[in-house]
């Protein structure tokens, strides 16, 4: 029964049109890569993947912070240059961080 409930919730989440903080549809117009940037001032990670993987992650991951935005660029190109690993749940999404200020 629990599996069925999770399956239904997943299908409902995927059918919704989710919008970025700026009101746009995530990854619209991206051809090869799309990233989720955390809100300004947040110490959260940047997620990077294909447009379809990023849209799914943005729409369903409960850890994505409110006011996060999506861009058609890599995390590294916007300052998140430290690759950590792929997300354990969204396995097609890379997790990136900013370089540490500590020596």
């Amino acid at each position: 029964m629990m599996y069925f409930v999770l399956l239904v919730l997943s299908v409902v989440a995927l059918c919704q049109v989710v919008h970025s903080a700026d009101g746009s549809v995530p990854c619209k117009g991206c051809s090869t890569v799309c990233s989720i940037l955390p809100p300004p001032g947040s110490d959260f990670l940047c997620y990077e993947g294909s447009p379809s993987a990023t849209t799914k992650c943005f729409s369903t991951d409960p850890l994505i912070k409110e006011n996060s935005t999506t861009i058609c660029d890599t995390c590294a190109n916007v300052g998140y240059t430290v690759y950590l690993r792929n997300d354990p749940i969204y396995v097609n999404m890379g997790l990136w961080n900013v370089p540490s200020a500590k020596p």
Side-chain angles (χ1 to χ4, degrees):
M1 178 66 175
M2 181 62 125
Y3 174 77
F4 177 73
V5 171
L6 290 174
L7 179 64
V8 169
L9 290 175
S10 296
V11 169
V12 168
L14 290 174
C15 292
Q16 295 175 349
V17 176
V18 179
H19 293 81
S20 295
D22 64 0
S24 64
V25 175
C27 305
K28 184 176 182 179
C30 299
S31 59
T32 58
V33 67
C34 185
S35 298
I36 303 170
L37 298 178
S42 170
D43 60 352
F44 207 66
L45 304 173
C46 179
Y47 288 68
E48 179 184 312
S50 69
S52 61
T54 303
T55 298
K56 179 180 178 183
C57 179
F58 187 86
S59 303
T60 60
D61 190 339
L63 297 179
I64 299 296
K65 302 292 185 190
E66 186 175 340
N67 296 321
S68 293
T69 56
T70 58
I71 60 166
C72 300
D73 205 346
T74 64
C75 292
N77 282 343
V78 292
Y80 292 82
T81 57
V82 180
Y83 173 75
L84 301 174
R85 61 175 283 181
N86 277 24
D87 187 282
I89 304 297
Y90 298 91
V91 296
N92 294 320
M93 296 298 297
L95 300 174
W96 295 75
N97 204 353
V98 293
S100 174
K102 298 176 185 176

